[in-house]
Amino acid sequence: MTLESHKEKILVVDDEASIRRILETRLSMIGYTVVTAADGEEALTTFRHEQPDLVVLDVMMPKLDGYGVCQELRKESDVPIIMLTALGDVADRITGLELGADDYVVKPFSPKELEARIRSVLRRIEKTTTSGIPSSGVIQIGNIRIDTNKRQVYKGDERIRLTGMEFMLLELLVGRSGEPFSRGEILEQVWGYTPERHVDTRVVDVHISRLRAKLEEDPSNPELILTARGTGYLFQRIIEPGEMLNKAQ
């Protein structure tokens, strides 16, 4: 969908009134519907009432901090979350990602940078990749079933909840199974990062770790999502049924 056909709703959560005002004004001007919350508890209430398409979430807030809000949201929703983190505090960024955030922007931030991240996350989650994916859109690897049309993943009969960015990452790796991707290439393909932000490789590492925890039988000894030494990551090569038949003959 485009902004013309659907006004995406964004929830901005920050205890600083000036930041809420600036973001509400700017995001409204470029076509989004904006709702705001001043603390963590209000954020959860507003989220459940408004059902936004994306959440911009500050870390340091009264009543319930951004980490707590992120944890609660991930129990009930796959909504994209962009965290606002303190300048230079790497621990803030990693903790937010580990709890389920899709991306982060460092404070103090340029509103233009945040607007770009919002557009990128929403656009990429709606985008589908077809390279290497069968026409049925369904891939079965062992007890893992990936349905790229419905954007759903099953482990046996259990549906595995993935965020939009986690699914995009999995789809990218599966679409070119057996091929290694560098972290920079993944950042560009999935997050839309420019080369200047390719230093933020922990974004990839944390998302890979989250995917392994959800999909692998033993995340510490992965068999699906492999590490390409000195390069990045790859999905184990998927052998087509016809290919197996040829080998048997």
Side-chain angles (χ1 to χ4, degrees):
M1 290 187 182
T2 63
L3 286 180
E4 288 71 29
S5 61
H6 168 66
K7 285 184 74 171
E8 284 104 333
K9 185 182 292 184
I10 296 174
L11 169 59
V12 174
V13 187
D14 199 298
D15 61 336
E16 293 185 51
S18 58
I19 290 180
R20 294 198 305 275
R21 270 197 310 273
I22 290 168
L23 293 182
E24 184 173 15
T25 301
R26 291 188 64 110
L27 294 173
S28 298
M29 284 176 62
I30 59 175
Y32 296 107
T33 299
V34 183
V35 291
T36 64
D39 61 62
E41 290 181 2
E42 186 184 357
L44 293 175
T45 302
T46 305
F47 176 84
R48 289 162 185 151
H49 183 260
E50 297 288 346
Q51 292 297 298
D53 298 291
L54 182 142
V55 178
V56 175
L57 181 60
D58 187 30
V59 171
M60 302 303 294
M61 291 185 298
K63 297 185 181 178
L64 184 66
D65 67 16
Y67 300 144
V69 174
C70 189
Q71 278 184 299
E72 289 303 309
L73 290 180
R74 281 294 169 251
K75 290 177 184 175
E76 58 190 80
S77 173
D78 306 326
V79 66
I81 299 172
I82 297 177
M83 306 227 29
L84 302 178
T85 69
L87 176 64
D89 194 341
V90 177
D92 267 4
R93 308 176 203 175
I94 302 310
T95 301
L97 293 171
E98 288 174 340
L99 292 174
D102 296 279
D103 202 354
Y104 67 83
V105 172
V106 176
K107 279 185 166 183
F109 62 90
S110 152
K112 281 190 176 180
E113 181 193 358
L114 179 59
E115 290 161 19
R117 298 311 317 143
I118 289 170
R119 280 195 299 270
S120 183
V121 169
L122 289 173
R123 185 172 64 244
R124 278 169 166 75
I125 285 172
E126 289 164 358
K127 172 182 117 172
T128 56
T129 359
T130 54
S131 170
I133 305 291
S135 55
S136 66
V138 177
I139 299 165
Q140 185 84 37
I141 312 105
N143 68 338
I144 300 292
R145 186 169 84 257
I146 304 166
D147 188 329
T148 59
N149 294 326
K150 294 180 180 177
R151 302 182 74 74
Q152 293 176 356
V153 177
Y154 290 85
K155 191 174 185 179
D157 295 327
E158 178 193 1
R159 183 176 170 192
I160 304 300
R161 172 169 260 166
L162 299 185
T163 67
M165 300 306 271
E166 285 171 347
F167 191 89
M168 279 288 296
L169 174 56
L170 178 62
E171 192 177 30
L172 176 72
L173 297 174
V174 167
R176 282 166 45 189
S177 71
E179 273 187 59
F181 285 85
S182 70
R183 289 171 176 83
E185 191 175 1
I186 292 172
L187 284 170
E188 200 169 319
Q189 293 285 328
V190 177
W191 279 268
Y193 280 10
T194 58
E196 297 76 51
R197 274 200 72 175
H198 283 191
V199 294
D200 298 340
T201 55
R202 287 302 299 272
V203 174
V204 175
D205 297 336
V206 173
H207 274 75
I208 290 287
S209 177
R210 277 165 41 186
L211 272 180
R212 283 173 170 167
K214 293 179 180 183
L215 302 180
E216 301 277 2
E217 293 299 329
D218 179 4
S220 63
N221 186 28
E223 296 181 353
L224 298 173
I225 302 169
L226 309 176
T227 299
R229 297 284 174 209
T231 307
Y233 299 99
L234 74 155
F235 199 90
Q236 68 156 292
R237 185 161 174 265
I238 299 170
I239 300 174
E240 301 297 330
E243 199 175 340
M244 291 177 66
L245 187 62
N246 291 336
K247 284 187 177 180
Q249 292 172 344

